[in-house]
Amino acid sequence: MATTFSPVSHIRSICYASDSPRTRLSFPGSGNVGSWSASANYVKLRVAARGFSVKQLVVKQPWKKRMGVFRCATIEEIEAEKSMIEKDVKERMEKTIENVRSSFNSIRTGRANPAILDKVEVDYYGTPVILKSIAQISTPDAGSLLVQPYDKSSLKAIEKAIVSSNLGLTPNNDGEVIRLTLPQLTSERRKELSKIVAKQAEEGKVAIRNIRRDAIKAYEKLEKEKKLSEDNVKDLSSDLQKVTDEYMKKIDSIYKQKEKELLTV
């Protein structure tokens, strides 16, 4: 079961605003402002001028409407970004496992397996298509494959594609179906194929580590934007490592299974 990432425990948001323009007030003469109060659009002042009684003035504010811009990262937005990273990690790692398994299936072992033809492409009326999409592939016995096309006119194109696939198979086209007899693998050939499988497994692990690296960079970016704290990133990185280890074990498991098939006579 995939490990669940830890929730964000501390959130810091960035808020910014532009400075408001200051209001300047001036009066003729040498009056002194005794007191003032402000409403949304007007300023009320009590002014005492020399030789004059106290007067109350109402001055319309010359202020322009405040245009300050406020933008705060909400918890929902931060959680959405974090969830998107987690989803991307798991989807890409799952895709990597599928690619490794597909590569393994294309390498034949001592037993007939339709999957060894999964990557064979046929030039079907000028368009490259996967063989299994235009033909039914079965295993009548442990040492042979039977390819029955849905369109018999494609037999020659299928035969050509199999020969060009470098699978070491010789197709037998009887005008109705194509039969493939799988020769027994020599001990030397089994060891060669085992090395190829080991290389493919290592390439899969490198891909998993690269996905982890990309996710860490994404978390660090959120930290720089003050959306995640340093502790958040450490917790998420720890959970990410557990997920990475889980997928590494999956690659090891399918690799050992494939190696066993190759070395079993």
Side-chain angles (χ1 to χ4, degrees), residues 32-207:
N32 298 318
V33 177
S35 65
W36 66 279
S37 61
S39 63
N41 298 307
Y42 294 88
V43 177
K44 182 182 293 185
L45 303 99
R46 292 176 61 80
V47 181
R50 290 181 183 178
F52 296 92
S53 60
V54 175
K55 296 182 178 181
Q56 180 170 288
L57 301 177
V58 177
V59 182
K60 187 173 183 178
Q61 296 185 41
W63 301 343
K64 295 182 179 179
K65 187 177 181 180
R66 180 174 292 185
M67 298 298 291
V69 178
F70 290 86
R71 182 70 179 90
C72 301
T74 66
I75 293 178
E76 290 77 10
E77 290 173 334
I78 296 170
E79 285 294 329
E81 289 188 67
K82 187 170 69 69
S83 296
M84 183 173 64
I85 295 171
E86 296 169 6
K87 181 180 178 182
D88 181 65
V89 165
K90 292 179 180 178
E91 286 181 350
R92 290 174 63 191
M93 287 188 177
E94 282 293 340
K95 184 64 176 178
T96 298
I97 295 296
E98 291 176 11
N99 290 338
V100 171
R101 185 176 284 112
S102 177
S103 296
F104 286 177
N105 287 339
S106 66
I107 296 178
R108 71 182 183 88
T109 59
R111 295 182 61 84
N113 184 351
I116 67 174
L117 299 177
D118 280 354
K119 293 187 176 183
V120 175
E121 285 192 351
V122 181
D123 185 3
Y124 188 60
Y125 294 105
T127 302
V129 297
I130 299 299
L131 173 57
K132 64 181 181 180
S133 70
I134 62 171
Q136 181 179 352
I137 305 171
S138 57
T139 52
D141 55 64
S144 65
L145 293 171
L146 188 66
V147 180
Q148 186 171 6
Y150 303 125
D151 177 7
K152 292 182 181 179
S153 66
S154 64
L155 276 169
K156 289 186 178 180
I158 292 175
E159 181 180 3
K160 182 179 179 181
I162 293 174
V163 172
S164 303
S165 65
N166 296 321
L167 290 174
L169 301 175
T170 302
N172 180 12
N173 182 357
D174 65 5
E176 295 289 332
V177 297
I178 292 178
R179 300 179 186 278
L180 301 170
T181 301
L182 279 67
Q184 288 295 317
L185 296 174
T186 64
S187 177
E188 183 178 352
R189 180 57 177 165
R190 290 177 187 276
K191 290 179 181 179
E192 290 176 359
L193 293 175
S194 181
K195 290 180 181 179
I196 293 175
V197 168
K199 181 180 178 181
Q200 292 175 342
E202 183 55 35
E203 289 173 349
K205 289 184 176 182
V206 170

Side-chain angles (χ1 to χ4, degrees), residues 6-15 71-83 86 219 222-223 225-233 235-236:
S6 298
V8 176
S9 56
H10 301 288
I11 300 295
R12 296 181 62 189
S13 302
I14 300 176
C15 298
R71 182 70 179 90
C72 301
T74 66
I75 293 178
E76 290 77 10
E77 290 173 334
I78 296 170
E79 285 294 329
E81 289 188 67
K82 187 170 69 69
S83 296
E86 296 169 6
Y219 287 139
L222 293 180
E223 181 185 1
E225 295 173 351
K226 307 302 181 182
K227 295 179 180 179
L228 294 177
S229 69
E230 183 179 352
D231 288 340
N232 294 150
V233 174
D235 290 341
L236 290 168

